Amino acid sequence: MLPRAKKRLGQNFLVDETYARRIVGALAPRAGETVLEIGPGRGALTSPLVESGARVVAVEFDRGLVAPLRSRFAERENFTLVEADALEVEFCSVIEPDASARVVANLPYNISTAILQRLIERRRCVSEMVLMLQREVVARITAPPGSTERGYLTVIVEAYCEAEALFDVPPGAFRPVPKVWSTVARLRARAGGPEVGDERLLWRVVSAGFAQRRKTILNNLRAAPGDLRARVEAVGGAATLLEAAGIEPARRAETLALDEWVAVTRALEGPPSVRRVQD
Ligand code: SAM
């Protein structure tokens, strides 16, 4: 018998096969390619994935689900189960000998954005992802400039991926039935990254910009944490920095597009020759 669903592991299992096939269909796995599945659970997505002939590497954290998964797919040579925490496992290593894989997952809601950020960090070995996320999270990661849904995660996704919402999945497609709707999204890794000297500086600027959503970009940058504030002051202060970047200081962070965050960061870094010296 299968163990009961564990809430703390975000276990809402997909029981509607039509949606399982639509999700795997959105990935369209090819025989022989490596597909990484995070949180296979009771195998709703794993089954059509294995049927496709793709080499499936599945990472599951719940010990109670590992044995049933192993016995269900025991005969399948194209299935490998890795018992590990998706917040710690090295994605690039588990897919070896392949250097790159595509990912499919119905992510546990409580840690979905943390896993998404880890996958983006490992984009050198993750070319495309088809992910089921809480509908609000997909609205957030696809929010255009000016939308109140826009935040730090939106800008990260925009910098490194092309993201599109594919279709919604109602609560009734899961057991236990969640309180929220889900949306399936596709994220494709972009070649290259944002054009700044130091990407960590960009993320500190974005984070400081969104620190207090009701404040203007000017006031948030003025209140930036310690060492970032020192850098802002070193270029003449937040107003001078924004002027150099061509950003109206009364704007709020949610109105800035990625290239405007890049402009602020570049203005903070100084001319390219200075940037190289700092690197
Ligand atoms: N893929 C299955 C489905 O669609 O029915 C299960 C999806 S369920 C929303 C999330 C799955 O992720 C569960 O199997 C859960 O045990 C697993 N999980 C939760 N936390 C995890 C973690 N840190 N690392 C790996 N898997 C995790």
Side-chain angles (χ1 to χ4, degrees), residues 118-160:
R118 286 203 79 218
L119 287 166
I120 292 174
E121 277 165 20
R122 294 291 179 273
R123 61 194 174 281
R124 73 184 150 87
C125 57
V126 173
S127 55
E128 182 180 342
M129 311 172 223
V130 171
L131 304 177
M132 180 143 60
L133 297 155
Q134 202 172 319
R135 188 161 66 177
E136 291 70 21
V137 174
V138 174
R140 189 140 56 91
I141 63 178
T142 55
S147 158
T148 52
E149 256 129 5
R150 204 168 161 82
Y152 178 79
L153 184 66
T154 322
V155 188
I156 291 205
V157 169
E158 198 177 321
Y160 300 114

mmCIF file of all heavy atoms in Angstrom, residues 118-160:
data_model
loop_
_atom_site.group_PDB
_atom_site.id
_atom_site.type_symbol
_atom_site.label_atom_id
_atom_site.label_comp_id
_atom_site.label_asym_id
_atom_site.label_seq_id
_atom_site.Cartn_x
_atom_site.Cartn_y
_atom_site.Cartn_z
ATOM 1 N N ARG A 118 17.568 27.132 -7.849
ATOM 2 C CA ARG A 118 18.706 26.196 -7.971
ATOM 3 C C ARG A 118 18.835 25.692 -9.404
ATOM 4 O O ARG A 118 19.941 25.549 -9.922
ATOM 5 C CB ARG A 118 18.515 24.982 -7.043
ATOM 6 C CG ARG A 118 18.730 25.272 -5.589
ATOM 7 C CD ARG A 118 19.088 23.993 -4.847
ATOM 8 N NE ARG A 118 20.474 23.629 -5.023
ATOM 9 C CZ ARG A 118 20.900 22.377 -5.166
ATOM 10 N NH1 ARG A 118 20.047 21.368 -5.181
ATOM 11 N NH2 ARG A 118 22.174 22.124 -5.322
ATOM 12 N N LEU A 119 17.698 25.409 -10.030
ATOM 13 C CA LEU A 119 17.742 24.925 -11.420
ATOM 14 C C LEU A 119 18.310 26.007 -12.340
ATOM 15 O O LEU A 119 19.112 25.730 -13.236
ATOM 16 C CB LEU A 119 16.340 24.513 -11.887
ATOM 17 C CG LEU A 119 15.812 23.207 -11.302
ATOM 18 C CD1 LEU A 119 14.302 23.080 -11.546
ATOM 19 C CD2 LEU A 119 16.539 21.996 -11.912
ATOM 20 N N ILE A 120 17.907 27.247 -12.087
ATOM 21 C CA ILE A 120 18.419 28.349 -12.917
ATOM 22 C C ILE A 120 19.925 28.507 -12.706
ATOM 23 O O ILE A 120 20.680 28.720 -13.659
ATOM 24 C CB ILE A 120 17.647 29.655 -12.626
ATOM 25 C CG1 ILE A 120 16.202 29.515 -13.118
ATOM 26 C CG2 ILE A 120 18.316 30.850 -13.294
ATOM 27 C CD1 ILE A 120 15.289 30.674 -12.771
ATOM 28 N N GLU A 121 20.358 28.360 -11.457
ATOM 29 C CA GLU A 121 21.807 28.441 -11.187
ATOM 30 C C GLU A 121 22.576 27.361 -11.954
ATOM 31 O O GLU A 121 23.724 27.549 -12.323
ATOM 32 C CB GLU A 121 22.075 28.245 -9.688
ATOM 33 C CG GLU A 121 21.912 29.499 -8.872
ATOM 34 C CD GLU A 121 21.828 29.181 -7.383
ATOM 35 O OE1 GLU A 121 22.258 28.099 -6.952
ATOM 36 O OE2 GLU A 121 21.292 30.033 -6.655
ATOM 37 N N ARG A 122 21.922 26.235 -12.157
ATOM 38 C CA ARG A 122 22.580 25.113 -12.858
ATOM 39 C C ARG A 122 22.195 25.075 -14.341
ATOM 40 O O ARG A 122 22.165 24.011 -14.942
ATOM 41 C CB ARG A 122 22.186 23.778 -12.207
ATOM 42 C CG ARG A 122 22.693 23.615 -10.797
ATOM 43 C CD ARG A 122 24.215 23.452 -10.793
ATOM 44 N NE ARG A 122 24.724 23.309 -9.450
ATOM 45 C CZ ARG A 122 25.050 24.330 -8.650
ATOM 46 N NH1 ARG A 122 24.914 25.564 -9.086
ATOM 47 N NH2 ARG A 122 25.521 24.114 -7.439
ATOM 48 N N ARG A 123 21.916 26.233 -14.924
ATOM 49 C CA ARG A 123 21.403 26.239 -16.301
ATOM 50 C C ARG A 123 22.398 25.696 -17.310
ATOM 51 O O ARG A 123 22.021 25.340 -18.411
ATOM 52 C CB ARG A 123 20.889 27.622 -16.695
ATOM 53 C CG ARG A 123 21.939 28.687 -16.667
ATOM 54 C CD ARG A 123 21.351 30.059 -16.714
ATOM 55 N NE ARG A 123 22.392 31.043 -16.542
ATOM 56 C CZ ARG A 123 22.934 31.380 -15.369
ATOM 57 N NH1 ARG A 123 22.486 30.828 -14.260
ATOM 58 N NH2 ARG A 123 23.897 32.267 -15.296
ATOM 59 N N ARG A 124 23.679 25.613 -16.940
ATOM 60 C CA ARG A 124 24.637 25.044 -17.891
ATOM 61 C C ARG A 124 24.298 23.575 -18.156
ATOM 62 O O ARG A 124 24.679 23.017 -19.175
ATOM 63 C CB ARG A 124 26.072 25.206 -17.386
ATOM 64 C CG ARG A 124 26.441 24.314 -16.241
ATOM 65 C CD ARG A 124 27.841 24.605 -15.727
ATOM 66 N NE ARG A 124 27.955 24.318 -14.320
ATOM 67 C CZ ARG A 124 28.253 23.136 -13.826
ATOM 68 N NH1 ARG A 124 28.459 22.124 -14.627
ATOM 69 N NH2 ARG A 124 28.332 22.953 -12.521
ATOM 70 N N CYS A 125 23.570 22.917 -17.249
ATOM 71 C CA CYS A 125 23.189 21.523 -17.514
ATOM 72 C C CYS A 125 21.673 21.334 -17.540
ATOM 73 O O CYS A 125 21.190 20.208 -17.565
ATOM 74 C CB CYS A 125 23.862 20.575 -16.515
ATOM 75 S SG CYS A 125 23.515 20.930 -14.818
ATOM 76 N N VAL A 126 20.936 22.442 -17.556
ATOM 77 C CA VAL A 126 19.468 22.357 -17.634
ATOM 78 C C VAL A 126 19.014 23.278 -18.762
ATOM 79 O O VAL A 126 19.024 24.497 -18.616
ATOM 80 C CB VAL A 126 18.823 22.809 -16.299
ATOM 81 C CG1 VAL A 126 17.315 22.894 -16.435
ATOM 82 C CG2 VAL A 126 19.210 21.887 -15.159
ATOM 83 N N SER A 127 18.635 22.704 -19.899
ATOM 84 C CA SER A 127 18.350 23.564 -21.047
ATOM 85 C C SER A 127 16.901 24.041 -21.077
ATOM 86 O O SER A 127 16.606 25.128 -21.553
ATOM 87 C CB SER A 127 18.665 22.813 -22.333
ATOM 88 O OG SER A 127 17.946 21.599 -22.349
ATOM 89 N N GLU A 128 16.009 23.229 -20.572
ATOM 90 C CA GLU A 128 14.584 23.569 -20.639
ATOM 91 C C GLU A 128 13.857 22.927 -19.466
ATOM 92 O O GLU A 128 14.241 21.835 -19.039
ATOM 93 C CB GLU A 128 13.996 23.039 -21.956
ATOM 94 C CG GLU A 128 12.540 23.384 -22.154
ATOM 95 C CD GLU A 128 11.976 22.853 -23.480
ATOM 96 O OE1 GLU A 128 12.760 22.514 -24.390
ATOM 97 O OE2 GLU A 128 10.751 22.767 -23.589
ATOM 98 N N MET A 129 12.838 23.597 -18.965
ATOM 99 C CA MET A 129 12.069 23.035 -17.846
ATOM 100 C C MET A 129 10.582 23.185 -18.133
ATOM 101 O O MET A 129 10.148 24.254 -18.567
ATOM 102 C CB MET A 129 12.330 23.798 -16.550
ATOM 103 C CG MET A 129 13.774 24.020 -16.229
ATOM 104 S SD MET A 129 13.884 25.123 -14.797
ATOM 105 C CE MET A 129 15.201 26.189 -15.350
ATOM 106 N N VAL A 130 9.854 22.116 -17.879
ATOM 107 C CA VAL A 130 8.394 22.209 -17.885
ATOM 108 C C VAL A 130 7.982 21.937 -16.446
ATOM 109 O O VAL A 130 8.173 20.838 -15.929
ATOM 110 C CB VAL A 130 7.753 21.198 -18.866
ATOM 111 C CG1 VAL A 130 6.242 21.159 -18.680
ATOM 112 C CG2 VAL A 130 8.095 21.577 -20.308
ATOM 113 N N LEU A 131 7.478 22.977 -15.787
ATOM 114 C CA LEU A 131 7.237 22.896 -14.348
ATOM 115 C C LEU A 131 5.792 23.226 -14.012
ATOM 116 O O LEU A 131 5.220 24.176 -14.566
ATOM 117 C CB LEU A 131 8.130 23.907 -13.607
ATOM 118 C CG LEU A 131 9.640 23.814 -13.832
ATOM 119 C CD1 LEU A 131 10.349 24.931 -13.086
ATOM 120 C CD2 LEU A 131 10.169 22.452 -13.385
ATOM 121 N N MET A 132 5.254 22.429 -13.099
ATOM 122 C CA MET A 132 3.932 22.795 -12.567
ATOM 123 C C MET A 132 4.172 23.514 -11.250
ATOM 124 O O MET A 132 4.838 23.001 -10.348
ATOM 125 C CB MET A 132 3.066 21.572 -12.356
ATOM 126 C CG MET A 132 1.702 21.952 -11.800
ATOM 127 S SD MET A 132 0.366 20.951 -12.443
ATOM 128 C CE MET A 132 0.837 19.339 -11.923
ATOM 129 N N LEU A 133 3.631 24.728 -11.185
ATOM 130 C CA LEU A 133 3.833 25.593 -10.022
ATOM 131 C C LEU A 133 2.476 26.153 -9.606
ATOM 132 O O LEU A 133 1.511 26.119 -10.381
ATOM 133 C CB LEU A 133 4.760 26.761 -10.406
ATOM 134 C CG LEU A 133 6.176 26.387 -10.826
ATOM 135 C CD1 LEU A 133 6.759 27.467 -11.728
ATOM 136 C CD2 LEU A 133 7.045 26.216 -9.599
ATOM 137 N N GLN A 134 2.445 26.708 -8.422
ATOM 138 C CA GLN A 134 1.242 27.408 -7.986
ATOM 139 C C GLN A 134 0.948 28.521 -9.002
ATOM 140 O O GLN A 134 1.894 29.172 -9.480
ATOM 141 C CB GLN A 134 1.534 27.989 -6.609
ATOM 142 C CG GLN A 134 0.308 28.277 -5.813
ATOM 143 C CD GLN A 134 0.691 28.666 -4.406
ATOM 144 O OE1 GLN A 134 1.594 28.058 -3.806
ATOM 145 N NE2 GLN A 134 0.040 29.673 -3.877
ATOM 146 N N ARG A 135 -0.320 28.733 -9.318
ATOM 147 C CA ARG A 135 -0.661 29.697 -10.372
ATOM 148 C C ARG A 135 -0.078 31.089 -10.081
ATOM 149 O O ARG A 135 0.391 31.773 -10.986
ATOM 150 C CB ARG A 135 -2.193 29.771 -10.503
ATOM 151 C CG ARG A 135 -2.650 30.570 -11.677
ATOM 152 C CD ARG A 135 -4.070 30.265 -12.071
ATOM 153 N NE ARG A 135 -5.025 30.662 -11.049
ATOM 154 C CZ ARG A 135 -6.346 30.553 -11.182
ATOM 155 N NH1 ARG A 135 -6.861 30.051 -12.297
ATOM 156 N NH2 ARG A 135 -7.151 30.929 -10.234
ATOM 157 N N GLU A 136 -0.076 31.481 -8.814
ATOM 158 C CA GLU A 136 0.435 32.806 -8.440
ATOM 159 C C GLU A 136 1.940 32.916 -8.721
ATOM 160 O O GLU A 136 2.439 33.992 -9.025
ATOM 161 C CB GLU A 136 0.208 33.085 -6.947
ATOM 162 C CG GLU A 136 -1.243 33.288 -6.544
ATOM 163 C CD GLU A 136 -2.094 32.038 -6.616
ATOM 164 O OE1 GLU A 136 -1.528 30.923 -6.589
ATOM 165 O OE2 GLU A 136 -3.325 32.167 -6.729
ATOM 166 N N VAL A 137 2.651 31.800 -8.569
ATOM 167 C CA VAL A 137 4.104 31.831 -8.810
ATOM 168 C C VAL A 137 4.366 32.031 -10.307
ATOM 169 O O VAL A 137 5.235 32.818 -10.706
ATOM 170 C CB VAL A 137 4.797 30.544 -8.293
ATOM 171 C CG1 VAL A 137 6.267 30.518 -8.682
ATOM 172 C CG2 VAL A 137 4.643 30.425 -6.784
ATOM 173 N N VAL A 138 3.569 31.372 -11.142
ATOM 174 C CA VAL A 138 3.765 31.545 -12.593
ATOM 175 C C VAL A 138 3.401 32.985 -12.988
ATOM 176 O O VAL A 138 4.094 33.607 -13.801
ATOM 177 C CB VAL A 138 2.950 30.495 -13.394
ATOM 178 C CG1 VAL A 138 3.040 30.781 -14.891
ATOM 179 C CG2 VAL A 138 3.466 29.097 -13.084
ATOM 180 N N ALA A 139 2.342 33.525 -12.354
ATOM 181 C CA ALA A 139 1.987 34.927 -12.647
ATOM 182 C C ALA A 139 3.163 35.830 -12.278
ATOM 183 O O ALA A 139 3.474 36.796 -12.978
ATOM 184 C CB ALA A 139 0.736 35.321 -11.865
ATOM 185 N N ARG A 140 3.841 35.471 -11.184
ATOM 186 C CA ARG A 140 4.961 36.296 -10.714
ATOM 187 C C ARG A 140 6.152 36.196 -11.677
ATOM 188 O O ARG A 140 6.741 37.205 -12.037
ATOM 189 C CB ARG A 140 5.356 35.817 -9.304
ATOM 190 C CG ARG A 140 6.322 36.665 -8.577
ATOM 191 C CD ARG A 140 5.970 36.792 -7.100
ATOM 192 N NE ARG A 140 5.848 35.543 -6.387
ATOM 193 C CZ ARG A 140 6.835 34.923 -5.751
ATOM 194 N NH1 ARG A 140 8.047 35.436 -5.772
ATOM 195 N NH2 ARG A 140 6.630 33.811 -5.094
ATOM 196 N N ILE A 141 6.474 34.967 -12.102
ATOM 197 C CA ILE A 141 7.690 34.840 -12.925
ATOM 198 C C ILE A 141 7.488 35.322 -14.364
ATOM 199 O O ILE A 141 8.444 35.532 -15.079
ATOM 200 C CB ILE A 141 8.301 33.413 -12.905
ATOM 201 C CG1 ILE A 141 7.356 32.378 -13.489
ATOM 202 C CG2 ILE A 141 8.749 33.030 -11.511
ATOM 203 C CD1 ILE A 141 7.938 30.968 -13.519
ATOM 204 N N THR A 142 6.230 35.490 -14.761
ATOM 205 C CA THR A 142 5.995 35.968 -16.134
ATOM 206 C C THR A 142 5.482 37.415 -16.146
ATOM 207 O O THR A 142 5.074 37.914 -17.192
ATOM 208 C CB THR A 142 4.975 35.056 -16.869
ATOM 209 O OG1 THR A 142 3.781 34.987 -16.089
ATOM 210 C CG2 THR A 142 5.513 33.658 -17.094
ATOM 211 N N ALA A 143 5.503 38.079 -14.975
ATOM 212 C CA ALA A 143 4.931 39.437 -14.886
ATOM 213 C C ALA A 143 5.771 40.455 -15.660
ATOM 214 O O ALA A 143 6.979 40.566 -15.444
ATOM 215 C CB ALA A 143 4.836 39.861 -13.417
ATOM 216 N N PRO A 144 5.140 41.226 -16.556
ATOM 217 C CA PRO A 144 5.897 42.237 -17.306
ATOM 218 C C PRO A 144 6.175 43.466 -16.438
ATOM 219 O O PRO A 144 5.522 43.655 -15.407
ATOM 220 C CB PRO A 144 4.942 42.594 -18.456
ATOM 221 C CG PRO A 144 3.582 42.311 -17.906
ATOM 222 C CD PRO A 144 3.727 41.195 -16.916
ATOM 223 N N PRO A 145 7.124 44.333 -16.846
ATOM 224 C CA PRO A 145 7.370 45.556 -16.089
ATOM 225 C C PRO A 145 6.068 46.355 -15.926
ATOM 226 O O PRO A 145 5.287 46.463 -16.861
ATOM 227 C CB PRO A 145 8.374 46.317 -16.958
ATOM 228 C CG PRO A 145 9.048 45.255 -17.757
ATOM 229 C CD PRO A 145 8.018 44.190 -18.004
ATOM 230 N N GLY A 146 5.861 46.856 -14.714
ATOM 231 C CA GLY A 146 4.650 47.630 -14.443
ATOM 232 C C GLY A 146 3.627 46.813 -13.669
ATOM 233 O O GLY A 146 2.737 47.367 -13.036
ATOM 234 N N SER A 147 3.770 45.488 -13.706
ATOM 235 C CA SER A 147 2.811 44.647 -12.995
ATOM 236 C C SER A 147 3.172 44.580 -11.506
ATOM 237 O O SER A 147 4.340 44.456 -11.150
ATOM 238 C CB SER A 147 2.844 43.240 -13.609
ATOM 239 O OG SER A 147 2.349 42.305 -12.687
ATOM 240 N N THR A 148 2.151 44.639 -10.657
ATOM 241 C CA THR A 148 2.421 44.587 -9.213
ATOM 242 C C THR A 148 2.944 43.213 -8.805
ATOM 243 O O THR A 148 3.473 43.047 -7.711
ATOM 244 C CB THR A 148 1.151 44.894 -8.392
ATOM 245 O OG1 THR A 148 0.124 44.027 -8.872
ATOM 246 C CG2 THR A 148 0.731 46.335 -8.521
ATOM 247 N N GLU A 149 2.754 42.212 -9.686
ATOM 248 C CA GLU A 149 3.225 40.867 -9.360
ATOM 249 C C GLU A 149 4.743 40.715 -9.509
ATOM 250 O O GLU A 149 5.332 39.730 -9.107
ATOM 251 C CB GLU A 149 2.546 39.858 -10.275
ATOM 252 C CG GLU A 149 1.476 39.111 -9.577
ATOM 253 C CD GLU A 149 0.157 39.114 -10.311
ATOM 254 O OE1 GLU A 149 0.067 39.625 -11.448
ATOM 255 O OE2 GLU A 149 -0.760 38.600 -9.725
ATOM 256 N N ARG A 150 5.339 41.706 -10.137
ATOM 257 C CA ARG A 150 6.764 41.618 -10.423
ATOM 258 C C ARG A 150 7.611 41.735 -9.154
ATOM 259 O O ARG A 150 7.309 42.521 -8.267
ATOM 260 C CB ARG A 150 7.119 42.758 -11.381
ATOM 261 C CG ARG A 150 8.326 42.525 -12.208
ATOM 262 C CD ARG A 150 8.368 43.574 -13.291
ATOM 263 N NE ARG A 150 9.703 43.684 -13.822
ATOM 264 C CZ ARG A 150 10.208 42.877 -14.741
ATOM 265 N NH1 ARG A 150 9.469 41.907 -15.229
ATOM 266 N NH2 ARG A 150 11.436 43.035 -15.175
ATOM 267 N N GLY A 151 8.671 40.916 -9.078
ATOM 268 C CA GLY A 151 9.550 40.952 -7.910
ATOM 269 C C GLY A 151 10.934 40.442 -8.271
ATOM 270 O O GLY A 151 11.260 40.254 -9.452
ATOM 271 N N TYR A 152 11.731 40.203 -7.240
ATOM 272 C CA TYR A 152 13.122 39.734 -7.407
ATOM 273 C C TYR A 152 13.183 38.477 -8.292
ATOM 274 O O TYR A 152 13.977 38.403 -9.233
ATOM 275 C CB TYR A 152 13.667 39.461 -6.000
ATOM 276 C CG TYR A 152 15.065 38.936 -5.931
ATOM 277 C CD1 TYR A 152 16.158 39.780 -6.068
ATOM 278 C CD2 TYR A 152 15.306 37.590 -5.692
ATOM 279 C CE1 TYR A 152 17.455 39.296 -5.976
ATOM 280 C CE2 TYR A 152 16.597 37.095 -5.602
ATOM 281 C CZ TYR A 152 17.660 37.959 -5.748
ATOM 282 O OH TYR A 152 18.941 37.476 -5.653
ATOM 283 N N LEU A 153 12.303 37.492 -7.993
ATOM 284 C CA LEU A 153 12.319 36.232 -8.749
ATOM 285 C C LEU A 153 12.001 36.467 -10.235
ATOM 286 O O LEU A 153 12.589 35.838 -11.112
ATOM 287 C CB LEU A 153 11.309 35.252 -8.130
ATOM 288 C CG LEU A 153 11.265 33.858 -8.755
ATOM 289 C CD1 LEU A 153 12.562 33.101 -8.534
ATOM 290 C CD2 LEU A 153 10.084 33.043 -8.197
ATOM 291 N N THR A 154 11.089 37.399 -10.507
ATOM 292 C CA THR A 154 10.735 37.710 -11.906
ATOM 293 C C THR A 154 11.977 38.151 -12.678
ATOM 294 O O THR A 154 12.200 37.740 -13.817
ATOM 295 C CB THR A 154 9.736 38.896 -11.978
ATOM 296 O OG1 THR A 154 8.815 38.805 -10.917
ATOM 297 C CG2 THR A 154 9.037 38.958 -13.315
ATOM 298 N N VAL A 155 12.766 39.019 -12.045
ATOM 299 C CA VAL A 155 13.922 39.584 -12.745
ATOM 300 C C VAL A 155 14.984 38.491 -12.955
ATOM 301 O O VAL A 155 15.609 38.431 -14.018
ATOM 302 C CB VAL A 155 14.496 40.812 -11.994
ATOM 303 C CG1 VAL A 155 15.569 41.496 -12.819
ATOM 304 C CG2 VAL A 155 13.396 41.807 -11.657
ATOM 305 N N ILE A 156 15.138 37.605 -11.969
ATOM 306 C CA ILE A 156 16.090 36.489 -12.131
ATOM 307 C C ILE A 156 15.665 35.620 -13.311
ATOM 308 O O ILE A 156 16.469 35.294 -14.188
ATOM 309 C CB ILE A 156 16.147 35.613 -10.855
ATOM 310 C CG1 ILE A 156 16.795 36.382 -9.725
ATOM 311 C CG2 ILE A 156 16.862 34.293 -11.125
ATOM 312 C CD1 ILE A 156 17.437 35.537 -8.670
ATOM 313 N N VAL A 157 14.380 35.251 -13.331
ATOM 314 C CA VAL A 157 13.892 34.383 -14.414
ATOM 315 C C VAL A 157 14.094 35.086 -15.755
ATOM 316 O O VAL A 157 14.574 34.490 -16.727
ATOM 317 C CB VAL A 157 12.408 33.995 -14.178
ATOM 318 C CG1 VAL A 157 11.816 33.320 -15.418
ATOM 319 C CG2 VAL A 157 12.299 33.060 -12.970
ATOM 320 N N GLU A 158 13.752 36.374 -15.801
ATOM 321 C CA GLU A 158 13.885 37.133 -17.056
ATOM 322 C C GLU A 158 15.346 37.195 -17.521
ATOM 323 O O GLU A 158 15.630 37.166 -18.718
ATOM 324 C CB GLU A 158 13.358 38.532 -16.791
ATOM 325 C CG GLU A 158 13.023 39.315 -18.030
ATOM 326 C CD GLU A 158 12.429 40.664 -17.625
ATOM 327 O OE1 GLU A 158 11.644 40.714 -16.650
ATOM 328 O OE2 GLU A 158 12.773 41.650 -18.266
ATOM 329 N N ALA A 159 16.265 37.278 -16.565
ATOM 330 C CA ALA A 159 17.679 37.415 -16.926
ATOM 331 C C ALA A 159 18.231 36.137 -17.559
ATOM 332 O O ALA A 159 19.088 36.192 -18.430
ATOM 333 C CB ALA A 159 18.500 37.762 -15.679
ATOM 334 N N TYR A 160 17.740 34.999 -17.080
ATOM 335 C CA TYR A 160 18.378 33.752 -17.500
ATOM 336 C C TYR A 160 17.494 32.831 -18.350
ATOM 337 O O TYR A 160 17.986 31.850 -18.889
ATOM 338 C CB TYR A 160 18.850 32.979 -16.259
ATOM 339 C CG TYR A 160 19.855 33.760 -15.448
ATOM 340 C CD1 TYR A 160 19.563 34.197 -14.175
ATOM 341 C CD2 TYR A 160 21.103 34.084 -15.984
ATOM 342 C CE1 TYR A 160 20.488 34.932 -13.432
ATOM 343 C CE2 TYR A 160 22.028 34.816 -15.255
ATOM 344 C CZ TYR A 160 21.714 35.240 -13.974
ATOM 345 O OH TYR A 160 22.621 35.963 -13.254
#
